[in-house]
Amino acid sequence: MSPSKKIILSGARPTGRLHLGNYTGALENWVALQKDYRCYFMVADWHVLTTDYEHTAEIPPNTREMVTDWISAGLDPETSTIFVQSHVREHAELYLLLAMLVTTARLERNPTLKEQVRDLEMDQGEGVSYGHLGYPVLQAADILIYRAHVVPVGEDQLPHIEITRELARKFNRLYGDVFPVPEGKLTRFARFPGLDGRRMSKSLGNTIELADSPEVIQTKIKTAFTDPQRKRRSDPGRPEVCLIYTYWQKFRPERAPEIYEGCTTAKLGCVDCKRMVGEAIAEFLAPLRDKRRELESTPGAVDEVIRDGDEKARSAARSTMDAVRERMHVG
Ligand code: SF4
């Protein structure tokens, strides 16, 4: 890792095997960022507890599956630090200290919290735990403890980064400069359609997983929605409203013009179009599946990556906490 490169922190809750939406929404971008930044990629297991503290048994297997997908997709443990949040206890200490610098009113105004409350049908007064309200502060600790300069985010996360920036500025003003004020870096292909046209999401059951075999991909793609107005094979289609065409644009863009022409002139039928896009996706995912197979055939390989990453992350976090304690005259 070059010390002159800027630092990036990004993370994801351990959700188990990843799907194409996770890939296009974050992972693909992370892989590309490794070239230009020193990257910390965090399994955000404590973050799971903010909304799902009753179901924790799945966290370790989900962590392993997700990290397997991360490495299979091209995250390189030699150059990037891949670690688990809860294995670096210093996050909790910084979280506590930063929590003193923010008001509850500021956290209650967080639009992401309001959206979550609405989506999960919670009651903002009674249903939101102290930890859930403080989630952006934990996120700020995650970022600041590595003195990250850049945080890749989706649009919905931008308000959280704002809280991180406010906390960094406030800390630096009160106690002296310790933290860079990080920038949010918007990811490009944030929303990716699932097989039913809604956002691809595990909870909606509309995913294609990175580890799916070509046969499974074909079975799933047969169920995908297409242009609802194309009732007969002889009707021309409208690729611009068809999610299969979005898949073509993403996975085989060089064939998209030919598909567009075939669809709009009714020379190409949906059954063939879907079969071909299924083949294109399977081909795209083949190197990832090979890498996964290789990792799975070496017992303990993924755990070792995590152990090494934890160690590197701890060392950086300890050095930040030494500076924080000294400046704050605590600890
Ligand atoms: S031919 Fe392909 S792009 Fe056109 S509507 Fe059918 S599935 Fe969609």
Side-chain angles (χ1 to χ4, degrees):
M1 278 196 284
S2 155
S4 59
K5 285 182 176 174
K6 287 196 166 177
I7 298 171
I8 272 199
L9 178 286
S10 199
R13 295 181 184 206
T15 50
R17 290 191 174 195
L18 300 179
H19 54 69
L20 290 175
N22 303 127
Y23 181 79
T24 57
L27 190 47
E28 182 182 37
N29 188 39
W30 290 1
V31 172
L33 290 168
Q34 296 180 111
K35 197 163 39 72
D36 300 319
Y37 295 92
R38 277 173 66 192
C39 296
Y40 288 86
F41 296 118
M42 175 182 81
V43 178
D45 56 348
W46 277 338
H47 285 280
V48 174
L49 308 180
T50 58
T51 50
D52 205 12
Y53 56 87
E54 288 177 82
H55 308 104
T56 54
E58 291 304 304
I59 291 177
N62 282 347
T63 295
R64 208 166 293 119
E65 285 289 356
M66 184 170 80
V67 172
T68 304
D69 275 332
W70 283 2
I71 303 168
S72 304
L75 294 194
D76 179 1
E78 295 295 320
T79 54
S80 296
T81 303
I82 296 173
F83 70 101
V84 176
Q85 181 186 32
S86 69
H87 297 178
V88 186
R89 308 274 197 247
E90 285 77 3
H91 287 237
E93 184 183 357
L94 185 57
Y95 167 52
L96 178 142
L97 297 174
L98 294 176
M100 308 301 169
L101 309 188
V102 64
T103 64
T104 51
R106 175 68 184 92
L107 296 174
E108 277 159 0
R109 278 203 310 274
N110 168 19
T112 312
L113 177 75
K114 289 187 175 164
E115 258 170 52
Q116 275 181 343
V117 166
R118 203 190 47 225
D119 291 353
L120 300 172
E121 295 174 359
M122 298 166 99
D123 168 346
Q124 181 149 356
E126 289 302 313
V128 177
S129 73
Y130 172 52
H132 190 182
L133 180 67
Y135 160 78
V137 184
L138 180 55
Q139 199 177 43
D142 301 333
I143 296 164
L144 297 179
I145 208 158
Y146 301 105
R147 302 194 222 205
H149 305 95
V150 178
V151 185
V153 282
E155 215 154 334
D156 57 333
Q157 292 285 311
L158 277 177
H160 286 183
I161 301 307
E162 209 34 57
I163 294 174
T164 302
R165 290 163 57 82
E166 287 166 20
L167 283 167
R169 281 196 214 100
K170 191 163 181 181
F171 185 99
N172 291 346
R173 192 176 71 244
L174 290 171
Y175 308 110
D177 274 352
V178 171
F179 303 117
V181 178
E183 304 278 343
K185 187 176 166 59
L186 266 185
T187 54
R188 281 166 295 127
F189 216 101
R191 293 217 176 241
F192 191 74
L195 295 163
D196 57 2
R198 293 183 289 174
R199 184 173 59 88
M200 189 174 276
S201 156
K202 200 168 232 175
S203 60
L204 297 173
N206 62 2
T207 66
I208 293 175
E209 292 183 356
L210 304 186
D212 279 345
S213 66
E215 297 73 35
V216 169
I217 293 172
Q218 283 300 344
T219 308
K220 287 183 173 178
I221 213 96
K222 277 187 192 143
T223 69
F225 288 19
T226 57
D227 174 4
Q229 282 181 22
R230 192 172 188 200
K231 300 258 187 291
R232 286 177 301 265
R233 169 71 180 76
S234 55
D235 294 339
R238 297 172 302 161
E240 58 282 1
V241 300
C242 177
L243 70 93
I244 295 293
Y245 186 66
T246 312
Y247 293 177
W248 276 116
Q249 287 173 306
K250 174 65 203 168
F251 298 106
R252 287 296 291 278
E254 69 282 10
R255 289 197 63 187
E258 158 208 339
I259 299 298
Y260 191 97
E261 143 83 17
C263 175
T264 50
T265 55
K267 279 187 217 133
L268 176 64
C270 293
V271 172
D272 286 339
C273 185
K274 283 174 159 184
R275 181 183 42 75
M276 292 190 304
V277 88
E279 287 164 6
I281 293 170
E283 202 177 302
F284 182 88
L285 293 176
L288 282 74
R289 271 199 314 279
D290 290 349
K291 182 72 188 166
R292 172 176 268 275
R293 213 172 296 129
E294 186 190 316
L295 285 167
E296 286 174 344
S297 66
T298 318
V302 171
D303 290 340
E304 199 178 313
V305 165
I306 294 173
R307 249 194 324 273
D308 286 354
D310 290 345
E311 206 40 64
K312 282 195 261 175
R314 253 183 239 125
S315 154
R318 279 184 192 140
S319 136
T320 304
M321 285 316 295
D322 285 345
V324 166
R325 291 187 205 109
E326 191 191 320
R327 295 287 165 89
M328 281 187 96
H329 309 287
V330 289

